[in-house]
């Protein structure tokens, strides 16, 4: 087959065929984000706090997650979790929708990523503002909630955007456990057409993710500039923090 | 009104404050001079519980506080009666100039919002920034930011305002606007403790000048005496260097 043989009509056909399967992508991404935000927040608190045990646990968790290949964790979750639940609680998980296994797997990675993002965003708000607030009559928690966290939140937006894009892409590994998202669907189509449309199928899929990423990027940029009050100095710190999430995700 | 005896402070095994006694009367403008690293900032921070002294005794408005074992109530008592103006302003970057001032009034003083805004406008007017109330810190010059910092301090009507080198982060051409606001505040009878290298301010505004070196108060007297015949050799050589070099050092 030659690249010039790629047919535009097929490209469009497959592209449109894959779109509905993005709902599956959305499900595992949302689940992973929910897990990441809730537990990532606790981990970030552990990393920033004084308790040595919590700190060690949070840092250790992040280090382990950085080391494990996604597919290995996915297999551990998909094959291991039901075994554990069966043995320990006699609960049968094998009938549960595969999207949850993918969501949990991505969520476990995302806890590490989000906790790093939250930690670095929090630290990039100059401590002097907190001190000014408490010397100006605010309690410590008022200072954190009203002064530090809003700025940390805004600083974190680009990094959270990157994290979401990473999740979307990593989720395609779900095909290895038989999940039918757009990647799974592409594999189905490829099998059905005896690999005759292999280029059209995967080019369409790549285009779909490319467009999705562009749209998300735009959305996050818009949210970012809408909330922009902070000084230019802080923008520079965002870039630094951005490298961390990529590192953890890699 | 404020009296401290024997303040000591260590950072690790460094002995930073080696027993400081200081007494401040209502309406005093006490200027603290001293070479960099002599512990001036640490002293101010201990007076406001931004830093906890190792030991020492404070009497404020008749309340005796053991600095080594100050309770949360003691700290709140002192914080409520003092305000701090920082070297690098430490404005809340997520709040407008007006909000920077109202925040402590509403949360710390439990003032009604309308009343807080009224009070804040009076304070901003006093520092000459009525027309900038809706600007964010990143939209203000350093001199303007520091004036907002002063407005934030005076709006709470504290008994003492502590200034830590309020002009040393500023470009030379912006120093005067801040000093003139400080003179105005002093002329209204506000009790102030000012760490500065601005000799003209010390000479013309201070009621008392304290010279600190290596964690001790070397000598204190009226500016007339300190600047014309200091008793201590260390004071003399410090002043000679400063007055010969420029009008300020960092
Ligand atoms: N948080 C801190 N931790 C450790 N050392 C500190 C800290 N703050 C100040 N120091 C040290 O204390 C000494 C006095 O500092 P400082 O009070 O800032 O002096 P000054 O304001 O007179 O220049 C310096 O040697 C400084 O390095
Ligand atoms: Mg200092």
């Amino acid at each position: 087959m030659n690249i010039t043989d790629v047919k535009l009509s097929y490209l469009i056909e497959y592209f449109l065929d894959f779109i509905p399967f993005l709902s599956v992508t959305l499900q595992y991404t949302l689940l992973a984000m929910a897990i990441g935000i809730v537990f990532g927040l606790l981990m970030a608190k552990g990393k920033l706090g004084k308790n040595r045990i919590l700190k060690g646990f949070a840092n250790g968790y992040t280090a382990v997650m950085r080391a494990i290949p996604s597919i290995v964790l996915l297999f551990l979750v998909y094959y291991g979790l039901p075994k554990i639940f069966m043995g320990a609680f006699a609960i049968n998980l094998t009938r549960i929708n595969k999207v949850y296994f993918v969501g949990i797997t991505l969520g476990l990675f995302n806890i590490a990523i989000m906790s790093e993002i939250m930690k670095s965003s929090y630290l990039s708000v100059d401590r002097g503002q907190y001190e000014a607030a408490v010397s100006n009559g605010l309690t410590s928690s008022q200072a954190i909630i009203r002064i530090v966290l809003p700025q940390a939140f805004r600083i974190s937006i680009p990094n959270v955007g990157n994290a979401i894009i990473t999740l979307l892409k990593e989720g395609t590994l779900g095909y290895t456990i038989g999940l039918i998202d757009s990647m799974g669907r592409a594999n189905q189509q490829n099998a059905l057409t005896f690999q005759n449309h292999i280029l059209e199928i995967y080019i369409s899929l790549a285009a779909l993710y490319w467009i999705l990423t562009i749209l998300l990027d735009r959305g996050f940029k818009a949210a970012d500039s809408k909330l922009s009050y902070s000084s230019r100095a802080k923008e520079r710190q965002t870039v630094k923090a951005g490298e961390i999430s990529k590192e953890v995700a890699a | 009104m404020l009296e401290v005896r024997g303040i000591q402070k260590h950072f690790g095994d460094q002995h930073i404050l080696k027993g400081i006694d200081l007494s401040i009367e209502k309406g005093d403008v006490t200027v603290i001079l001293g070479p960099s690293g002599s512990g001036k900032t640490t002293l101010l921070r201990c007076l406001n519980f931004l830093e906890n002294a190792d030991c020492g005794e404070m009497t404020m408005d008749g309340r005796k506080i053991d600095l080594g074992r100050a309770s949360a109530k003691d700290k709140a008592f002192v914080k409520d009666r003092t305000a701090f103006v920082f070297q690098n302003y430490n404005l809340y970057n997520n709040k407008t100039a007006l909000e920077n001032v109202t925040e402590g009034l509403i949360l710390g003083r439990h003032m009604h919002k309308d009343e807080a805004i009224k009070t804040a406008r009076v304070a901003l007017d006093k520092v000459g920034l009525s027309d900038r109330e809706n600007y964010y810190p990143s939209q203000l010059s350093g001199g303007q930011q520091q004036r907002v910092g002063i407005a934030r301090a005076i709006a709470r009507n504290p008994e003492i305002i502590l200034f830590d080198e309020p002009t040393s982060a500023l470009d030379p051409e912006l120093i005067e606007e801040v000093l003139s606001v400080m003179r105005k505040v002093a002329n209204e009878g506000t009790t102030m403790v000012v760490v500065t290298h601005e000799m003209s301010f010390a000479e013309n505004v201070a009621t008392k000048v304290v010279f600190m070196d290596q964690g001790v108060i070397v000598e204190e007297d009226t500016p007339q005496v300190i600047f014309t015949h200091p008793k201590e050799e260390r004071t003399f050589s410090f002043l000679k260097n400063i007055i010969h070099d420029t009008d300020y050092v960092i």
Side-chain angles (χ1 to χ4, degrees):
Chain A
M1 186 169 178
N2 200 307
I3 190 77
T4 51
D5 296 336
V6 170
K7 290 210 179 63
L8 185 64
S9 61
Y10 283 145
L11 283 177
I12 294 169
E13 186 188 316
Y14 287 121
F15 186 88
L16 295 175
D17 180 62
F18 296 152
I19 287 176
F21 292 88
L22 287 177
S23 68
V24 180
T25 307
L26 183 69
Q27 285 171 46
Y28 57 63
T29 305
L30 284 179
L31 179 56
M33 276 317 288
I35 294 172
I37 288 170
V38 173
F39 294 99
L41 189 62
L42 295 175
M43 288 268 185
K45 266 192 96 168
K47 287 177 185 181
L48 290 164
K50 288 202 182 93
N51 187 319
R52 285 255 200 82
I53 297 168
L54 290 179
K55 192 185 272 225
F57 175 76
N59 287 328
Y61 180 87
T62 304
V64 169
M65 285 299 140
R66 268 185 74 179
I68 302 179
S70 321
I71 194 163
V72 175
L73 189 67
L74 177 60
F75 279 25
L76 274 173
V77 169
Y78 182 64
Y79 297 109
L81 214 54
K83 280 221 164 83
I84 291 170
F85 269 72
M86 201 59 190
F89 316 108
I91 297 171
N92 186 2
L93 294 183
T94 48
R95 305 282 289 274
I96 285 181
N97 192 326
K98 287 167 180 156
V99 77
Y100 292 110
F101 289 99
V102 176
I104 289 168
T105 304
L106 295 177
L108 290 172
F109 282 118
N110 201 30
I111 291 169
I113 296 169
M114 291 304 290
S115 68
E116 279 300 294
I117 292 175
M118 289 173 185
K119 183 185 94 173
S120 63
S121 307
Y122 183 88
L123 290 178
S124 62
V125 180
D126 177 24
R127 176 147 185 96
Q129 292 185 51
Y130 169 85
E131 292 190 335
V134 295
S135 74
N136 202 229
L138 277 69
T139 63
S140 175
S141 43
Q142 284 171 336
I144 288 171
I145 291 168
R146 300 187 53 97
I147 307 299
V148 181
L149 289 185
Q151 295 180 58
F153 174 74
R154 147 130 162 80
I155 289 168
S156 75
I157 290 174
N159 297 321
V160 172
N162 284 338
I164 290 176
I165 289 167
T166 303
L167 294 176
L168 290 175
K169 296 198 296 187
E170 292 284 297
T172 55
L173 281 174
Y175 86 89
T176 56
I177 61 166
L179 177 71
I180 307 298
D181 62 350
S182 51
M183 176 67 187
R185 177 63 175 173
N187 290 344
Q188 276 182 342
Q189 293 283 24
N190 191 32
L192 286 170
T193 52
F194 304 103
Q195 305 204 2
N196 283 326
H197 294 164
I198 190 163
L199 275 181
E200 285 91 344
I201 287 171
Y202 290 106
I203 288 173
S204 302
L205 189 60
L208 182 64
Y209 275 94
W210 181 51
I211 290 169
L212 200 57
T213 303
I214 289 175
L215 292 178
L216 281 168
D217 259 343
R218 289 242 169 115
F220 280 105
K221 287 231 169 69
D224 194 35
S225 59
K226 187 149 193 196
L227 293 169
S228 87
Y229 39 62
S230 310
S231 66
R232 270 145 274 149
K234 219 166 287 113
E235 308 264 1
R236 272 179 253 128
Q237 287 165 331
T238 318
V239 178
K240 256 188 276 162
E243 285 152 16
I244 296 167
S245 74
K246 274 185 222 141
E247 224 175 89
V248 176
Chain B
M1 144 189 256
L2 173 70
E3 185 151 330
V4 288
R5 289 276 161 264
I7 296 190
Q8 299 213 31
K9 176 72 183 171
H10 286 80
F11 283 118
D13 52 12
Q14 266 188 298
H15 202 177
I16 306 298
L17 298 179
K18 301 170 184 163
I20 302 277
D21 301 340
L22 196 63
S23 100
I24 288 155
E25 300 300 327
K26 196 166 171 53
D28 272 357
V29 177
T30 306
V31 165
I32 302 179
L33 301 177
S36 173
S38 54
K40 306 178 299 292
T41 297
T42 307
L43 173 61
L44 283 197
R45 289 170 63 86
C46 285
L47 293 181
N48 195 28
F49 290 108
L50 282 174
E51 211 75 71
N52 294 311
D54 302 337
C55 62
E57 192 184 271
M58 175 188 280
T59 314
M60 185 168 207
D61 285 353
R63 186 183 181 117
K64 246 196 178 120
I65 298 167
D66 179 350
L67 292 177
R69 286 182 276 146
S71 66
K73 274 201 177 139
D74 291 332
K75 294 181 187 178
F77 180 89
V78 173
K79 280 186 175 153
D80 195 42
R81 283 162 178 75
T82 52
F84 206 104
V85 175
F86 297 85
Q87 184 169 354
N88 42 8
Y89 338 128
N90 287 344
L91 297 186
Y92 318 135
N93 284 330
N94 60 330
K95 306 273 176 196
T96 62
L98 186 73
E99 290 164 345
N100 262 274
V101 183
T102 56
E103 199 70 6
L105 298 175
I106 295 168
L107 294 168
R109 283 279 150 85
H110 308 293
M111 226 183 239
H112 192 273
K113 194 176 172 195
D114 298 334
E115 198 194 340
I117 289 174
K118 234 187 259 167
T119 310
R121 288 202 169 122
V122 172
L124 284 174
D125 184 47
K126 203 171 277 177
V127 302
L129 288 174
S130 292
D131 56 337
R132 291 287 188 276
E133 66 170 49
N134 291 322
Y135 283 52
Y136 284 98
S138 59
Q139 300 168 309
L140 297 171
S141 73
Q144 290 171 333
Q145 288 189 58
Q146 191 57 295
R147 281 147 67 198
V148 174
I150 296 172
R152 179 169 68 179
I154 59 178
R156 290 172 64 238
N157 197 20
E159 308 209 354
I160 300 185
I161 305 181
L162 309 167
F163 293 79
D164 187 16
E165 301 202 28
T167 57
S168 54
L170 295 172
D171 292 334
E173 72 272 17
L174 300 177
I175 289 177
E176 187 43 42
E177 68 185 56
V178 172
L179 287 181
S180 82
V181 165
M182 287 170 62
R183 273 195 292 271
K184 192 161 147 191
V185 173
N187 288 338
E188 287 174 356
T190 313
T191 313
M192 297 162 59
V193 179
V194 184
V195 173
T196 185
H197 292 291
E198 293 298 327
M199 292 303 142
S200 65
F201 184 86
E203 278 194 84
N204 302 322
V205 187
T207 54
K208 185 167 79 178
V209 175
V210 172
F211 176 67
M212 250 181 101
D213 193 17
Q214 297 181 10
V216 296
I217 291 181
V218 176
E219 89 176 273
E220 57 176 282
D221 217 316
T222 60
Q224 291 78 12
V225 173
I226 292 274
F227 287 109
T228 54
H229 13 45
K231 292 179 206 69
E232 302 289 331
E233 166 61 26
R234 272 196 279 177
T235 317
F236 179 74
S237 59
F238 173 79
L239 290 174
K240 203 176 74 178
N241 282 334
I242 277 208
I243 291 169
H244 269 222
D245 283 1
T246 56
D247 221 23
Y248 72 105
V249 274
I250 294 171

